Amino acid sequence: MKRNDSYQNNKDIDNMRAQIPERCRVGFQRYTVVAGDTIEKIAKRFNVTVDFLITENPHIQDPNKIFPGDVLCVPVQPKPGEPRVPESCPLGFNRYTVKAGDTISKIAQNIGVPNDLIVVNNLHIPDPNVIFPGDVLCVPVPLKFPSCSILRPVNPAMTIAFGSAMVQKFLPANINLQ
């Protein structure tokens, strides 16, 4: 049965199935649509873009037609003044506390890494376009050149695996490919 735009006057609304996701990813919670909700209103309430909300909710057949009882995955919102903090950071990453005016791209540019490297290592931040002062991000440790590192296995079962790496930055003119 197809839903009618004027669901409030539709007597068969109780016979329709709500659109409910199987599960929401980490950092998201379920939100049940109530009368009067629109994707735009929900996106604004949870501080994300409409496109972001649509992408995170592929189970919604038509984002222009949501109904009371439908369930959306929305980002968990910190309480006012409560920063979002990762449980831990990957090896080679440090914690960075967001300051007023920071954006993911500014932070990435300051340490010389691609934006995506920061985004994929901070899944506790559901929309990388929305960060707040006090949020804590995992950012790669900047290398000073030349740099030498001892390499140890991530898997403790690999007891005889080890090594070292020397990293040096060359200008393109210094590279000899012969």
Side-chain angles (χ1 to χ4, degrees):
M1 165 180 235
K2 188 171 179 184
R3 292 187 181 187
N4 184 327
D5 285 337
S6 59
Y7 65 86
Q8 290 150 336
N9 297 327
N10 187 343
K11 295 177 183 174
D12 296 325
I13 193 75
D14 293 333
N15 297 331
M16 294 188 296
R17 291 186 146 226
Q19 300 176 89
I20 301 173
E22 279 187 38
R23 64 179 153 260
C24 295
R25 70 182 176 105
V26 173
F28 283 73
Q29 63 189 3
R30 290 173 178 252
Y31 173 79
T32 303
V33 175
V34 296
D37 273 345
T38 63
I39 289 286
E40 291 81 9
K41 286 181 184 178
I42 296 168
K44 186 175 181 179
R45 181 179 307 142
F46 287 93
N47 231 1
V48 295
T49 64
V50 169
D51 288 340
F52 178 82
L53 200 56
I54 291 169
T55 300
E56 288 298 324
N57 291 281
H59 64 283
I60 299 296
Q61 294 174 4
D62 182 350
N64 295 314
K65 296 179 182 176
I66 58 171
F67 300 90
D70 287 345
V71 177
L72 301 178
C73 294
V74 296
V76 173
Q77 296 294 297
K79 295 177 182 142
E82 183 179 296
R84 297 174 291 181
V85 179
E87 289 181 24
S88 64
C89 289
L91 288 175
F93 283 70
N94 284 335
R95 290 174 182 248
Y96 172 82
T97 303
V98 174
K99 298 176 195 76
D102 275 346
T103 65
I104 296 285
S105 59
K106 283 183 185 177
I107 295 166
Q109 186 176 17
N110 285 343
I111 58 176
V113 299
N115 295 357
D116 292 346
L117 187 59
I118 295 177
V119 171
V120 300
N121 286 287
N122 288 283
L123 297 178
H124 65 289
I125 305 294
D127 185 348
N129 297 312
V130 182
I131 58 174
F132 303 101
D135 284 345
V136 176
L137 302 176
C138 296
V139 298
V141 175
L143 289 177
K144 294 185 180 177
F145 297 107
S147 176
C148 185
S149 297
I150 303 297
L151 304 175
R152 293 186 175 83
V154 177
N155 181 344
M158 299 175 70
T159 56
I160 61 169
F162 60 91
S164 64
M166 173 66 171
V167 180
Q168 188 167 352
K169 189 173 187 177
F170 290 102
L171 297 175
N174 293 347
I175 298 175
N176 186 356
L177 299 175
Q178 296 178 346

